[in-house]
Amino acid sequence: MPDTPSPAGPAETPRDAYPALARALSDAGLETGIRGLHGVLPPSPRDAPSTSLTRTARMPIPRLALLPALALLAAAPLQADPDPADWEAVLEEARGQTVYWYAWAGEERINDYIQWTGRQVAERFAIDLVHVKLSDTAEAVSRVLAEKQAGNHERGNVDLIWINGENFATMKANDLLFGPWSEELPHYPLTDPVNTPAVRYDWTIPVEGLESPWSSSQVVFYYDTALVDDHPRSMPELLDWARDNPGEFTYARVPNFLGNAFITQALLELAEDTERLYTPLVETEFAEVTAPLWDFLDELHPLLWRSGRAFPANSSELRRLMGDSEISIGLSFSTTEASGAIANFELPDTVRSYVHDHGMIGNMGFLAIPYNALHKAGAMVVADFLLGPEAQAHKQDPVVWGSNTVLSLDALDEADRARFDEIDLGIATLAPDQLGEVLGQPHPSWVDALAEAWQDRYVGR
């Protein structure tokens, strides 16, 4: 997830905001599916000692010409990689390790959950978990790439990454990932992988044991029933509603993941041929396939909050606009976000969730381990803990976070199933049978191209 809260304002993201990694990959002769990458590298968590469980990434990316100097980091060979099939040996090796988890930090509830995870793995496995806070997952990809270019193949700074989509596709294509490992985790069978393709494919890209699922999300809209009598049920109906209620709706600024989700959802509803969206982009087809989206957005934007001249930066800002009654319809990538916000007094108790009639986008969040991670054993133990029923149920509680479980409830024993049955999903959360069809994420190349085209078309207007 790529954004942190900032004051709402004009869509000022420059059109060339993301060239650094793409340029670096090109210079190195490597492949990328990413068209939107911040040109910054997180500081090395080992640059200075700290007892804090978190650290924020802010250091600029060094020029690639200087990177060979970093090869000194790889001066001494290390022991062989841990074997995930020998779990007792993994647990033993993990004890005492410090795991640097590079994860998006744009939502305080998620940050608090990661803090909780750190306390649990410290107590149970003697692992020190450090949350390296990111504004964009691409920052972690940039660091691993820089280390590879510097010849640092064994002492990487990144041990674990919260990842999916285009970032996973890029790391996999360029051999930046450790594995396969995830299918050997003790809790992995609880995902029922044979009958759950979502844990085996990440935005159409085969996972092949290179990342472990840990969160499940689906886009939903939410609205204030005190202000809206009859909510829209499709993108054309949303446009009609906006004509009658100008200024009452908006969405997050692209390339924030929620903004990307909205325009992708719109394209899936409006395009004549959606099958092409699930295969790699053919550049000559882009204009034809996406034309209905731009027609829709061109008409919608003048009807948005602030007439479409400014967009909230992320889900937190969008939620604040709803809480302040500046808008009456919003959207989220969490089916329980509205309920959690009501419980935390961020939204009025008249807010409810809804979905469109023909399905909503959903996807999995994964955890990956870079090929050169220094603490692979500890990273695997953290990933397995997060995949366990206790951590998954705690995460699904709307008061904690509200992220849906990746586990198959039918695969759980009675005691673990009870953990989920006891969760109060909240008054604004739709029942599972009300969420409708889950639409898969298109191929990363389409999502990247959409974000780039959106910025070319609307930034600065």
Side-chain angles (χ1 to χ4, degrees):
M1 292 187 178
D3 245 2
T4 51
S6 60
E12 297 175 341
T13 305
R15 297 183 184 187
D16 60 349
Y18 302 98
L21 180 54
R23 199 166 52 236
L25 286 164
S26 177
D27 292 345
L30 302 176
E31 300 179 29
T32 178
I34 301 179
R35 294 176 178 238
L37 294 172
H38 288 298
V40 295
L41 268 178
S44 165
R46 304 184 183 97
D47 288 344
S50 172
T51 58
S52 172
L53 192 64
T54 65
R55 189 170 287 109
T56 303
R58 297 184 183 277
M59 183 175 290
I61 185 171
R63 293 182 180 274
L64 291 182
L66 301 178
L67 292 177
L70 299 177
L72 294 174
L73 295 172
L78 302 180
Q79 64 186 47
D81 286 338
D83 179 3
D86 187 352
W87 193 247
E88 290 303 317
V90 170
L91 290 172
E92 180 61 29
E93 184 177 336
R95 293 187 65 82
Q97 289 190 342
T98 298
V99 173
Y100 294 92
W101 182 5
Y102 282 56
W104 179 74
E107 175 64 67
E108 282 308 309
R109 290 184 298 171
I110 300 175
N111 296 340
D112 290 344
Y113 179 78
I114 293 175
Q115 293 275 344
W116 173 84
T117 300
R119 293 191 295 272
Q120 303 306 311
V121 298
E123 179 180 338
R124 303 175 192 208
F125 307 109
I127 292 172
D128 181 17
L129 182 65
V130 177
H131 179 193
V132 182
K133 295 183 175 182
L134 304 178
S135 63
D136 192 314
T137 304
E139 297 163 11
V141 182
S142 296
R143 175 164 291 284
V144 178
L145 171 66
E147 290 173 345
K148 182 172 185 177
Q149 290 300 104
N152 179 9
H153 302 304
E154 295 181 316
R155 296 180 178 271
N157 286 284
V158 185
D159 294 315
L160 194 63
I161 308 176
W162 178 5
I163 197 170
N164 70 358
E166 64 269 40
N167 290 308
F168 171 69
T170 294
M171 293 195 78
K172 183 181 181 185
N174 292 288
D175 297 323
L176 298 177
L177 296 170
F178 167 65
W181 59 276
S182 61
E183 295 180 9
E184 300 291 344
L185 296 181
H187 288 123
Y188 183 77
L190 299 181
T191 66
D192 188 17
V194 173
N195 298 305
T196 311
V199 304
R200 295 183 285 110
Y201 293 90
D202 184 348
W203 291 27
T204 76
I205 307 298
V207 170
E208 298 179 319
L210 297 177
E211 56 181 1
S212 173
W214 84 294
S215 65
S216 176
S217 304
Q218 180 180 335
V219 172
V220 295
F221 290 90
Y222 53 86
Y223 71 112
D224 192 337
T225 60
L227 303 174
V228 178
D229 292 328
D230 188 22
H231 63 75
R233 291 170 172 79
S234 67
M235 288 297 176
E237 287 190 16
L238 177 61
L239 180 57
D240 290 339
W241 183 88
R243 291 191 187 101
D244 295 334
N245 302 273
E248 293 288 308
F249 173 71
T250 190
Y251 62 94
R253 182 168 61 232
V254 176
N256 173 269
F257 71 94
L258 190 56
N260 288 348
F262 177 77
I263 64 174
T264 305
Q265 174 76 32
L267 181 59
L268 287 171
E269 292 192 37
L270 299 169
E272 294 184 5
D273 179 10
T274 60
E275 291 299 318
R276 283 191 280 183
L277 300 175
Y278 293 95
T279 59
L281 170 66
V282 177
E283 298 263 351
T284 55
E285 296 180 350
F286 184 77
E288 175 192 353
V289 173
T290 62
L293 171 66
W294 310 123
D295 291 344
F296 169 77
L297 293 179
D298 286 349
E299 191 167 356
L300 177 67
H301 277 196
L303 305 171
L304 297 178
W305 174 75
R306 294 192 180 177
S307 302
R309 292 191 295 269
F311 293 83
N314 48 47
S315 58
S316 298
E317 290 190 4
L318 191 64
R319 201 165 59 239
R320 180 183 58 78
L321 293 177
M322 176 71 85
D324 292 343
S325 298
E326 293 194 53
I327 60 174
S328 52
I329 293 182
L331 73 156
S332 171
F333 223 132
S334 169
T335 59
T336 62
E337 179 171 326
S339 291
I342 291 170
N344 293 325
F345 305 103
E346 297 178 78
L347 293 178
D349 60 9
T350 50
V351 169
R352 296 292 183 271
S353 302
Y354 73 92
V355 295
H356 284 177
D357 288 345
H358 298 294
M360 302 294 289
I361 285 178
N363 65 35
M364 291 275 185
F366 292 84
L367 298 172
I369 302 173
Y371 81 102
N372 65 341
L374 186 57
H375 304 121
K376 295 183 177 74
M380 285 191 284
V381 172
V382 171
D384 187 63
F385 171 78
L386 289 165
L387 195 54
E390 179 186 358
Q392 287 285 306
H394 187 63
K395 178 172 60 69
Q396 187 162 315
D397 187 336
V399 177
V400 175
W401 174 0
S403 172
N404 293 334
T405 183
V406 301
L407 304 181
S408 169
L409 298 186
D410 291 338
L412 303 182
D413 61 30
E414 185 176 347
D416 285 332
R417 177 66 181 265
R419 296 179 188 272
F420 294 90
D421 293 340
E422 293 167 359
I423 298 172
D424 180 1
L425 295 179
I427 59 175
T429 303
L430 296 171
D433 60 356
Q434 296 176 309
L435 289 172
E437 180 184 0
V438 178
L439 305 178
Q441 284 277 7
H443 190 275
S445 57
W446 281 95
V447 179
D448 298 337
L450 286 173
E452 184 176 293
W454 188 94
Q455 292 175 70
D456 287 344
R457 194 177 189 94
Y458 299 118
V459 168
R461 289 194 178 185

